[in-house]
Amino acid sequence: MAAAIPVGLSTASVWPLRARTGFELAAALGYDGVEVMVWADPESQSVPALRRLRDETGVPVLSIHSPSLLITQRVWSPDPVVRLRRSVEAAMELEARTVVVHPPFRWQRRYGDAFADLVAELEESSGVDIAVENMFKVRPPGGSRNARVSAFRPSIDPTDVGYSHYTLDLSHSAAAGMDAMELAQRMGEGLTHVHLADGTGVPKDEHLMPGRGNQPCAELLEQLVATGFDGQVVLEVNTRGARHLAQRARLLGEALLFTRRHLG
């Protein structure tokens, strides 16, 4: 029998609470591990702190999300090359298989020009999968309601460049108006990591609970099983509306149940 596909919980799913809550909820609900979103939370930036959380809860770190967001451009270093290298080093120290990273921003010209080679070099030297994530267009400041531009180079679709490993994010595919199943097909054997969430197709990053939007969440999970996917599925969902921890836990428990049901 094929090994079960591990299902992880992104610590971003408990924002604005800290990484500790992500580890504790993952343990309580029966997730197979966590993905650490590295951002302003000091615990998320500290390998010793993350190691303690891993050991205290018994929940392994499956992946590290490199600080690629606009709000994390100075976490660890203002240099994106340093941030990616430190993400890989953290993954190695925490025995995480994968680093998730966004494509370079359009204004990061030097980083963008060297990005593909940097990713290949770091994968070769570390043995860590660096899974480049699909993104979406945004409305420019002062732009019309329907105006959308890409903040990423060369595009929001990492298959336009071609990398060894990809992260498929279904909230991002919804916001981009992209067909997630077609994108998964283009990623092919390079698809090694999935951010499972839903979206309605409005041009913003919703990260809804799977099954609450129009993305093919169930279909994709079933396709992963059928094709022998040997990567990881991580719930990266928005629970900011939860009024208390029990409600947040209930939402994340439902998301885990949905995922495991469709993974068979």
Side-chain angles (χ1 to χ4, degrees), residues 20-87:
R20 171 175 295 277
T21 303
F23 276 84
E24 290 172 347
L25 283 176
L29 296 169
Y31 278 82
D32 297 310
V34 298
E35 174 172 302
V36 175
M37 172 68 83
V38 181
W39 52 10
D41 171 13
E43 284 182 319
S44 74
Q45 301 173 26
S46 168
V47 169
L50 293 171
R51 188 183 295 115
R52 285 194 297 273
L53 290 174
R54 180 197 64 185
D55 295 345
E56 288 172 8
T57 61
V59 175
V61 178
L62 301 179
S63 47
I64 299 290
H65 195 309
S66 184
S68 307
L69 303 171
L70 278 174
I71 62 172
T72 60
Q73 292 300 289
R74 302 194 71 83
V75 170
W76 282 343
S77 169
D79 185 340
V81 175
V82 174
R83 292 198 300 271
L84 183 53
R85 288 189 181 277
R86 287 196 60 174
S87 300

Side-chain angles (χ1 to χ4, degrees), residues 138-161:
V138 297
R139 186 167 72 178
S144 66
R145 181 178 178 182
N146 296 321
R148 293 291 182 271
V149 297
S150 171
F152 303 95
R153 43 181 313 191
S155 78
I156 59 174
D157 183 350
T159 68
D160 288 343
V161 175

Side-chain angles (χ1 to χ4, degrees), residues 215-233:
Q215 290 301 284
C217 296
E219 183 181 357
L220 176 67
L221 293 172
E222 291 162 7
Q223 179 72 6
L224 294 178
V225 175
T227 56
F229 176 75
D230 64 354
Q232 305 157 324
V233 173

Side-chain angles (χ1 to χ4, degrees), residues 84-124:
L84 183 53
R85 288 189 181 277
R86 287 196 60 174
S87 300
V88 172
E89 291 167 1
M92 294 173 67
E93 291 187 54
L94 294 165
E95 302 178 76
R97 166 181 167 174
T98 305
V99 165
V100 177
V101 65
H102 294 176
F105 288 114
R106 290 171 62 185
W107 54 86
Q108 295 173 318
R109 299 186 64 86
R110 184 178 300 177
Y111 176 55
D113 290 343
F115 182 69
D117 289 340
L118 175 65
V119 167
E121 172 214 318
L122 289 173
E123 288 193 318
E124 176 66 25

Side-chain angles (χ1 to χ4, degrees), residues 124-141:
E124 176 66 25
S125 63
S126 69
V128 173
D129 294 345
I130 302 178
V132 185
E133 189 170 5
N134 61 297
M135 300 305 295
F136 56 96
K137 294 182 179 181
V138 297
R139 186 167 72 178

